[in-house]
Amino acid sequence: SEDAAAIYDSPSGRSSRERSGSDSESSVIDVMQDEADFDDMPLDYDAHRIAVALTISDWKLFERIEPAELLSQSWMKRKERAKNVLAFIARFNSLSHCLIVAILQPFGHLERARLINKIIDIGYELHMLHNYNSLMSILACLSSSAIHRLKHSWSQVDPVRKARLDKLAQTMSSERGF
């Protein structure tokens, strides 16, 4: 999208609505250049900015996929013929795992709830950017058993965000999709 390009191309890596922070911060896009490693994913940035960085990074992987890699599920049979599809799948799994770990690291349920709220906001921004790959990765994270059973943390999540998450999950559901 034009918004994604504007943020990516701007010298500070920020849109005009995000220029309130310090220019000495490293750009979230620079931090997230490695498509498969999210161990240092900066969740302190604005949700929109993170979503744009994820979208750009997803696009870089997606554009490498050759049509032949998608034929006859070659990623399941002859992995060497579908290296880009496998990289895209690995990215999905890596993002989901990273977010699960990020939520589980803090000890307190209030901090976990804050992170869940933030991840829901990122998911909403991904939906607005039409990045359904990363959005599904976020939904997989939040519906994983490790996160789903955090009852005390979920009780502290903003009800508006819970409703937004339910709407995103409903939108992305495969039920009645065929």
Side-chain angles (χ1 to χ4, degrees):
S1 79
E2 290 178 23
D3 195 25
I7 290 175
Y8 187 67
D9 293 338
S10 70
S12 65
R14 298 178 183 190
S15 68
S16 58
R17 75 182 203 188
E18 299 175 290
R19 290 193 180 130
S20 58
S22 165
D23 282 332
S24 64
E25 293 176 353
S26 65
S27 170
V28 67
I29 295 168
D30 294 337
V31 174
M32 297 174 66
Q33 285 302 306
D34 184 357
E35 293 93 359
D37 183 18
F38 294 103
D39 291 340
D40 297 321
M41 185 176 188
L43 289 173
D44 293 334
Y45 283 96
D46 175 68
H48 179 76
R49 192 170 185 197
I50 293 170
V52 168
L54 288 169
T55 301
I56 291 167
S57 193
D58 272 356
W59 173 249
K60 287 179 179 181
L61 278 175
F62 181 76
E63 72 178 346
R64 291 185 209 158
I65 297 174
E66 298 292 329
E69 293 182 62
L70 303 171
L71 298 174
S72 304
Q73 296 183 346
S74 61
W75 63 91
M76 306 258 307
K77 299 172 187 166
R78 302 194 67 188
K79 296 183 187 309
E80 68 277 357
R81 290 189 178 178
K83 63 181 179 177
N84 296 313
V85 171
L86 291 172
F88 204 59
I89 292 169
R91 176 183 170 71
F92 178 98
N93 293 333
S94 179
L95 175 59
S96 185
H97 175 75
C98 168
L99 294 174
I100 290 169
V101 170
I103 293 169
L104 294 177
Q105 277 181 340
F107 184 70
H109 62 273
L110 292 175
E111 179 63 16
R112 288 177 175 172
R114 185 188 72 77
L115 288 168
I116 292 170
N117 281 325
K118 179 67 168 239
I119 291 168
I120 293 170
D121 290 345
I122 295 167
Y124 175 77
E125 292 293 335
L126 288 166
H127 182 260
M128 299 309 296
L129 292 168
H130 305 285
N131 181 348
Y132 303 115
N133 183 61
S134 289
L135 173 56
M136 283 301 293
S137 186
I138 282 177
L139 292 175
C141 158
L142 295 175
S143 65
S144 70
S145 61
I147 303 304
H148 184 72
R149 65 179 169 226
L150 298 174
K151 301 296 181 198
H152 292 295
S153 297
W154 279 104
S155 70
Q156 299 299 314
V157 172
D158 178 26
V160 172
R161 287 188 174 108
K162 281 184 186 177
R164 182 176 279 175
L165 176 61
D166 291 342
K167 181 69 174 163
L168 288 172
Q170 180 183 12
T171 300
M172 299 303 292
S173 172
S174 62
E175 283 186 28
R176 300 182 327 191
F178 302 103

